[in-house]
Short mmCIF file of all heavy atoms in Angstrom, two decimals:
data_model
loop_
_atom_site.label_atom_id
_atom_site.label_comp_id
_atom_site.label_asym_id
_atom_site.label_seq_id
_atom_site.Cartn_x
_atom_site.Cartn_y
_atom_site.Cartn_z
N LEU A 1 79.79 -143.46 80.67
CA LEU A 1 79.99 -142.24 81.43
C LEU A 1 80.67 -142.47 82.78
O LEU A 1 81.11 -141.53 83.43
CB LEU A 1 78.65 -141.55 81.68
CG LEU A 1 77.87 -141.13 80.43
CD1 LEU A 1 76.58 -140.42 80.83
CD2 LEU A 1 78.72 -140.22 79.53
N TYR A 2 80.77 -143.74 83.18
CA TYR A 2 81.30 -144.06 84.50
C TYR A 2 82.82 -144.08 84.52
O TYR A 2 83.47 -144.50 83.56
CB TYR A 2 80.80 -145.43 84.96
CG TYR A 2 79.37 -145.45 85.43
CD1 TYR A 2 78.32 -145.40 84.52
CD2 TYR A 2 79.07 -145.51 86.78
CE1 TYR A 2 77.00 -145.41 84.94
CE2 TYR A 2 77.75 -145.52 87.22
CZ TYR A 2 76.73 -145.47 86.30
OH TYR A 2 75.43 -145.48 86.73
N THR A 3 83.38 -143.63 85.64
CA THR A 3 84.78 -143.91 85.96
C THR A 3 84.79 -145.26 86.65
O THR A 3 84.02 -145.50 87.59
CB THR A 3 85.37 -142.84 86.87
OG1 THR A 3 85.47 -141.61 86.15
CG2 THR A 3 86.76 -143.25 87.36
N LEU A 4 85.66 -146.14 86.19
CA LEU A 4 85.70 -147.52 86.68
C LEU A 4 87.03 -147.77 87.37
O LEU A 4 88.08 -147.30 86.91
CB LEU A 4 85.53 -148.48 85.52
CG LEU A 4 84.28 -148.25 84.67
CD1 LEU A 4 84.36 -149.06 83.39
CD2 LEU A 4 83.02 -148.59 85.45
N GLY A 5 86.98 -148.52 88.43
CA GLY A 5 88.21 -148.78 89.16
C GLY A 5 88.27 -150.18 89.74
O GLY A 5 87.24 -150.85 89.89
N TRP A 6 89.48 -150.61 89.99
CA TRP A 6 89.74 -151.84 90.74
C TRP A 6 90.45 -151.45 92.03
O TRP A 6 91.43 -150.70 92.01
CB TRP A 6 90.61 -152.80 89.94
CG TRP A 6 89.89 -153.47 88.83
CD1 TRP A 6 89.89 -153.12 87.51
CD2 TRP A 6 89.06 -154.64 88.92
NE1 TRP A 6 89.11 -153.98 86.77
CE2 TRP A 6 88.59 -154.93 87.62
CE3 TRP A 6 88.67 -155.47 89.96
CZ2 TRP A 6 87.75 -156.00 87.34
CZ3 TRP A 6 87.84 -156.55 89.69
CH2 TRP A 6 87.39 -156.80 88.40
N TYR A 7 89.94 -151.97 93.14
CA TYR A 7 90.52 -151.77 94.45
C TYR A 7 90.83 -153.15 95.03
O TYR A 7 90.29 -154.15 94.56
CB TYR A 7 89.54 -151.04 95.37
CG TYR A 7 89.29 -149.60 95.01
CD1 TYR A 7 88.55 -149.26 93.87
CD2 TYR A 7 89.80 -148.56 95.77
CE1 TYR A 7 88.31 -147.94 93.54
CE2 TYR A 7 89.57 -147.24 95.46
CZ TYR A 7 88.82 -146.93 94.34
OH TYR A 7 88.59 -145.61 94.00
N ARG A 8 91.67 -153.16 96.06
CA ARG A 8 91.94 -154.42 96.73
C ARG A 8 92.07 -154.21 98.22
O ARG A 8 92.43 -153.14 98.68
CB ARG A 8 93.18 -155.10 96.16
CG ARG A 8 94.49 -154.37 96.43
CD ARG A 8 95.63 -155.06 95.68
NE ARG A 8 96.92 -154.39 95.94
CZ ARG A 8 98.03 -154.69 95.29
NH1 ARG A 8 98.04 -155.64 94.35
NH2 ARG A 8 99.15 -154.04 95.58
N GLN A 9 91.79 -155.28 98.94
CA GLN A 9 91.92 -155.24 100.40
C GLN A 9 92.53 -156.54 100.88
O GLN A 9 91.93 -157.61 100.69
CB GLN A 9 90.56 -155.01 101.06
CG GLN A 9 90.65 -154.78 102.55
CD GLN A 9 89.37 -154.21 103.13
OE1 GLN A 9 88.30 -154.28 102.53
NE2 GLN A 9 89.46 -153.62 104.32
N ALA A 10 93.70 -156.42 101.47
CA ALA A 10 94.37 -157.58 102.05
C ALA A 10 93.96 -157.69 103.52
O ALA A 10 93.54 -156.70 104.13
CB ALA A 10 95.88 -157.42 101.92
N PRO A 11 94.10 -158.88 104.10
CA PRO A 11 93.72 -159.05 105.51
C PRO A 11 94.45 -158.07 106.41
O PRO A 11 95.67 -157.92 106.33
CB PRO A 11 94.14 -160.50 105.80
CG PRO A 11 94.08 -161.18 104.48
CD PRO A 11 94.51 -160.14 103.48
N GLY A 12 93.70 -157.38 107.26
CA GLY A 12 94.29 -156.45 108.21
C GLY A 12 94.71 -155.12 107.62
O GLY A 12 95.30 -154.30 108.32
N LYS A 13 94.39 -154.89 106.35
CA LYS A 13 94.78 -153.65 105.70
C LYS A 13 93.56 -152.91 105.17
O LYS A 13 92.49 -153.50 104.99
CB LYS A 13 95.77 -153.93 104.57
CG LYS A 13 97.10 -154.48 105.04
CD LYS A 13 98.10 -154.55 103.91
CE LYS A 13 99.45 -155.03 104.39
NZ LYS A 13 100.45 -155.08 103.28
N GLN A 14 93.75 -151.63 104.88
CA GLN A 14 92.67 -150.84 104.31
C GLN A 14 92.53 -151.13 102.83
O GLN A 14 93.50 -151.54 102.16
CB GLN A 14 92.95 -149.35 104.52
CG GLN A 14 92.81 -148.90 105.97
CD GLN A 14 92.89 -147.39 106.11
OE1 GLN A 14 93.54 -146.71 105.31
NE2 GLN A 14 92.22 -146.86 107.11
N ARG A 15 91.34 -150.90 102.33
CA ARG A 15 91.12 -151.03 100.90
C ARG A 15 91.90 -149.94 100.17
O ARG A 15 91.92 -148.79 100.59
CB ARG A 15 89.63 -150.91 100.58
CG ARG A 15 89.25 -151.27 99.16
CD ARG A 15 87.75 -151.27 98.96
NE ARG A 15 87.09 -152.27 99.79
CZ ARG A 15 85.80 -152.58 99.68
NH1 ARG A 15 85.05 -151.99 98.76
NH2 ARG A 15 85.26 -153.49 100.47
N GLU A 16 92.56 -150.33 99.06
CA GLU A 16 93.39 -149.38 98.33
C GLU A 16 93.07 -149.43 96.84
O GLU A 16 92.67 -150.47 96.31
CB GLU A 16 94.88 -149.70 98.55
CG GLU A 16 95.31 -151.06 98.03
CD GLU A 16 96.82 -151.27 98.15
OE1 GLU A 16 97.54 -150.37 98.62
OE2 GLU A 16 97.28 -152.36 97.74
N LEU A 17 93.28 -148.29 96.20
CA LEU A 17 93.09 -148.21 94.76
C LEU A 17 94.21 -148.96 94.05
O LEU A 17 95.39 -148.77 94.36
CB LEU A 17 93.09 -146.76 94.30
CG LEU A 17 93.04 -146.54 92.80
CD1 LEU A 17 91.70 -146.98 92.21
CD2 LEU A 17 93.31 -145.08 92.46
N VAL A 18 93.85 -149.80 93.10
CA VAL A 18 94.82 -150.50 92.26
C VAL A 18 94.97 -149.79 90.92
O VAL A 18 96.07 -149.46 90.49
CB VAL A 18 94.40 -151.96 92.05
CG1 VAL A 18 95.36 -152.66 91.08
CG2 VAL A 18 94.32 -152.70 93.36
N ALA A 19 93.83 -149.56 90.26
CA ALA A 19 93.84 -148.92 88.95
C ALA A 19 92.48 -148.31 88.69
O ALA A 19 91.47 -148.78 89.20
CB ALA A 19 94.19 -149.94 87.86
N ARG A 20 92.48 -147.27 87.84
CA ARG A 20 91.24 -146.58 87.53
C ARG A 20 91.28 -146.15 86.07
O ARG A 20 92.34 -145.78 85.55
CB ARG A 20 91.07 -145.38 88.45
CG ARG A 20 89.76 -144.63 88.34
CD ARG A 20 89.51 -143.74 89.56
NE ARG A 20 90.68 -142.95 89.90
CZ ARG A 20 90.94 -142.54 91.13
NH1 ARG A 20 90.14 -142.85 92.14
NH2 ARG A 20 92.02 -141.81 91.38
N ILE A 21 90.12 -146.20 85.42
CA ILE A 21 90.03 -145.75 84.03
C ILE A 21 88.82 -144.83 83.92
O ILE A 21 87.70 -145.18 84.30
CB ILE A 21 89.95 -146.96 83.06
CG1 ILE A 21 89.95 -146.49 81.62
CG2 ILE A 21 88.75 -147.86 83.36
CD1 ILE A 21 90.22 -147.62 80.62
N ALA A 22 89.07 -143.66 83.39
CA ALA A 22 88.01 -142.66 83.24
C ALA A 22 87.24 -142.89 81.94
O ALA A 22 87.59 -143.75 81.14
CB ALA A 22 88.61 -141.26 83.25
N ARG A 23 86.17 -142.10 81.76
CA ARG A 23 85.36 -142.30 80.56
C ARG A 23 86.10 -141.92 79.29
O ARG A 23 85.75 -142.40 78.21
CB ARG A 23 84.04 -141.55 80.67
CG ARG A 23 84.16 -140.06 80.81
CD ARG A 23 82.76 -139.47 81.02
NE ARG A 23 82.76 -138.02 81.03
CZ ARG A 23 81.65 -137.29 81.20
NH1 ARG A 23 80.49 -137.88 81.37
NH2 ARG A 23 81.72 -135.98 81.18
N ASP A 24 87.14 -141.08 79.42
CA ASP A 24 87.96 -140.77 78.25
C ASP A 24 89.10 -141.78 78.07
O ASP A 24 89.99 -141.55 77.25
CB ASP A 24 88.52 -139.35 78.35
CG ASP A 24 89.50 -139.18 79.50
OD1 ASP A 24 89.71 -140.15 80.28
OD2 ASP A 24 90.06 -138.08 79.65
N THR A 25 89.09 -142.84 78.85
CA THR A 25 90.06 -143.96 78.87
C THR A 25 91.41 -143.59 79.43
O THR A 25 92.36 -144.38 79.35
CB THR A 25 90.23 -144.63 77.48
OG1 THR A 25 90.91 -143.75 76.60
CG2 THR A 25 88.90 -145.05 76.89
N SER A 26 91.54 -142.41 80.03
CA SER A 26 92.78 -142.13 80.75
C SER A 26 92.83 -143.04 81.98
O SER A 26 91.79 -143.40 82.55
CB SER A 26 92.84 -140.66 81.16
OG SER A 26 91.76 -140.33 82.00
N THR A 27 94.05 -143.41 82.36
CA THR A 27 94.21 -144.38 83.44
C THR A 27 95.19 -143.88 84.50
O THR A 27 96.05 -143.02 84.23
CB THR A 27 94.73 -145.72 82.90
OG1 THR A 27 95.99 -145.50 82.23
CG2 THR A 27 93.75 -146.35 81.93
N ASN A 28 95.06 -144.41 85.68
CA ASN A 28 96.09 -144.22 86.69
C ASN A 28 96.20 -145.50 87.52
O ASN A 28 95.23 -146.26 87.64
CB ASN A 28 95.84 -142.99 87.57
CG ASN A 28 94.55 -143.04 88.35
OD1 ASN A 28 93.48 -142.92 87.79
ND2 ASN A 28 94.66 -143.24 89.65
N TYR A 29 97.39 -145.72 88.05
CA TYR A 29 97.72 -146.97 88.74
C TYR A 29 98.43 -146.69 90.07
O TYR A 29 99.14 -145.69 90.21
CB TYR A 29 98.66 -147.82 87.88
CG TYR A 29 98.07 -148.29 86.59
CD1 TYR A 29 98.17 -147.54 85.42
CD2 TYR A 29 97.40 -149.52 86.52
CE1 TYR A 29 97.63 -147.98 84.22
CE2 TYR A 29 96.85 -149.97 85.33
CZ TYR A 29 96.97 -149.19 84.19
OH TYR A 29 96.42 -149.63 83.02
N ALA A 30 98.25 -147.60 90.99
CA ALA A 30 99.07 -147.57 92.19
C ALA A 30 100.51 -147.84 91.80
O ALA A 30 100.79 -148.62 90.88
CB ALA A 30 98.58 -148.63 93.18
N ASP A 31 101.44 -147.20 92.51
CA ASP A 31 102.86 -147.40 92.18
C ASP A 31 103.26 -148.86 92.25
O ASP A 31 104.10 -149.33 91.47
CB ASP A 31 103.73 -146.59 93.14
CG ASP A 31 103.66 -145.09 92.87
OD1 ASP A 31 103.21 -144.70 91.77
OD2 ASP A 31 104.05 -144.31 93.76
N SER A 32 102.65 -149.59 93.16
CA SER A 32 103.03 -150.99 93.38
C SER A 32 102.67 -151.91 92.21
O SER A 32 103.20 -153.03 92.13
CB SER A 32 102.38 -151.51 94.66
OG SER A 32 100.97 -151.43 94.56
N VAL A 33 101.79 -151.46 91.32
CA VAL A 33 101.38 -152.33 90.20
C VAL A 33 101.74 -151.76 88.83
O VAL A 33 101.51 -152.41 87.82
CB VAL A 33 99.85 -152.61 90.26
CG1 VAL A 33 99.46 -153.15 91.62
CG2 VAL A 33 99.03 -151.40 89.88
N LYS A 34 102.31 -150.58 88.79
CA LYS A 34 102.67 -149.97 87.51
C LYS A 34 103.62 -150.87 86.74
O LYS A 34 104.58 -151.40 87.29
CB LYS A 34 103.33 -148.61 87.73
CG LYS A 34 102.35 -147.49 88.03
CD LYS A 34 103.08 -146.16 88.23
CE LYS A 34 102.09 -145.05 88.57
NZ LYS A 34 102.78 -143.76 88.85
N GLY A 35 103.32 -151.04 85.45
CA GLY A 35 104.14 -151.89 84.61
C GLY A 35 103.78 -153.36 84.68
O GLY A 35 104.27 -154.16 83.87
N ARG A 36 102.91 -153.74 85.61
CA ARG A 36 102.50 -155.15 85.73
C ARG A 36 101.00 -155.35 85.48
O ARG A 36 100.61 -156.39 84.96
CB ARG A 36 102.83 -155.67 87.14
CG ARG A 36 104.31 -155.63 87.49
CD ARG A 36 104.59 -156.35 88.81
NE ARG A 36 103.89 -155.74 89.94
CZ ARG A 36 103.03 -156.39 90.72
NH1 ARG A 36 102.73 -157.65 90.50
NH2 ARG A 36 102.46 -155.76 91.75
N PHE A 37 100.20 -154.37 85.85
CA PHE A 37 98.75 -154.47 85.70
C PHE A 37 98.27 -153.50 84.62
O PHE A 37 98.83 -152.41 84.46
CB PHE A 37 98.05 -154.12 87.01
CG PHE A 37 98.21 -155.10 88.13
CD1 PHE A 37 99.12 -156.15 88.05
CD2 PHE A 37 97.45 -154.99 89.28
CE1 PHE A 37 99.28 -157.05 89.10
CE2 PHE A 37 97.58 -155.87 90.34
CZ PHE A 37 98.50 -156.90 90.24
N THR A 38 97.22 -153.90 83.93
CA THR A 38 96.62 -153.05 82.91
C THR A 38 95.10 -153.06 83.07
O THR A 38 94.49 -154.14 83.06
CB THR A 38 96.98 -153.52 81.50
OG1 THR A 38 98.41 -153.54 81.35
CG2 THR A 38 96.40 -152.58 80.45
N ILE A 39 94.50 -151.89 83.19
CA ILE A 39 93.06 -151.77 83.26
C ILE A 39 92.54 -151.37 81.89
O ILE A 39 93.17 -150.58 81.18
CB ILE A 39 92.62 -150.75 84.34
CG1 ILE A 39 91.11 -150.81 84.55
CG2 ILE A 39 93.10 -149.34 84.01
CD1 ILE A 39 90.63 -149.98 85.75
N SER A 40 91.40 -151.93 81.51
CA SER A 40 90.79 -151.59 80.24
C SER A 40 89.27 -151.71 80.38
O SER A 40 88.78 -152.30 81.33
CB SER A 40 91.30 -152.49 79.11
OG SER A 40 90.97 -153.86 79.38
N ARG A 41 88.58 -151.13 79.41
CA ARG A 41 87.12 -151.19 79.44
C ARG A 41 86.58 -151.48 78.06
O ARG A 41 87.18 -151.07 77.05
CB ARG A 41 86.54 -149.87 79.98
CG ARG A 41 86.81 -148.65 79.13
CD ARG A 41 86.45 -147.36 79.87
NE ARG A 41 85.02 -147.28 80.16
CZ ARG A 41 84.50 -146.43 81.05
NH1 ARG A 41 85.30 -145.62 81.75
NH2 ARG A 41 83.20 -146.39 81.25
N ASP A 42 85.43 -152.16 78.03
CA ASP A 42 84.72 -152.42 76.79
C ASP A 42 83.30 -151.91 77.01
O ASP A 42 82.47 -152.59 77.63
CB ASP A 42 84.73 -153.92 76.47
CG ASP A 42 84.11 -154.22 75.13
OD1 ASP A 42 83.30 -153.41 74.62
OD2 ASP A 42 84.42 -155.28 74.56
N ASN A 43 83.03 -150.72 76.51
CA ASN A 43 81.72 -150.11 76.75
C ASN A 43 80.59 -150.87 76.06
O ASN A 43 79.45 -150.85 76.53
CB ASN A 43 81.73 -148.65 76.31
CG ASN A 43 82.62 -147.78 77.19
OD1 ASN A 43 82.85 -148.08 78.36
ND2 ASN A 43 83.11 -146.69 76.62
N ALA A 44 80.91 -151.53 74.97
CA ALA A 44 79.89 -152.30 74.26
C ALA A 44 79.42 -153.51 75.09
O ALA A 44 78.29 -153.97 74.94
CB ALA A 44 80.41 -152.78 72.92
N LYS A 45 80.31 -153.99 75.96
CA LYS A 45 79.98 -155.15 76.79
C LYS A 45 79.72 -154.77 78.25
O LYS A 45 79.52 -155.64 79.09
CB LYS A 45 81.12 -156.17 76.74
CG LYS A 45 81.34 -156.77 75.36
CD LYS A 45 82.44 -157.82 75.39
CE LYS A 45 82.62 -158.46 74.02
NZ LYS A 45 83.70 -159.47 74.02
#
């Protein structure tokens, strides 16, 4: 039921969203990582 996300924080910068996956497995990505990063979930694990 959870929406899951990956965020990152570089030194001296604010924490930013990298990628997020909803419970229906729809995803969204930061523009800077589109096409390079993939988020996925395994609910069984």
Side-chain angles (χ1 to χ4, degrees):
L1 300 182
Y2 284 75
T3 292
L4 306 168
W6 286 98
Y7 291 71
R8 67 187 181 188
Q9 187 166 18
K13 294 188 177 181
Q14 289 189 331
R15 190 174 298 189
E16 63 175 0
L17 174 68
V18 175
R20 185 163 48 208
I21 184 166
R23 61 185 186 180
D24 65 357
T25 70
S26 60
T27 58
N28 61 289
Y29 296 90
D31 288 343
S32 60
V33 307
K34 282 181 181 177
R36 299 188 299 122
F37 291 10
T38 303
I39 189 171
S40 61
R41 64 192 297 164
D42 185 337
N43 291 334
K45 296 183 178 179

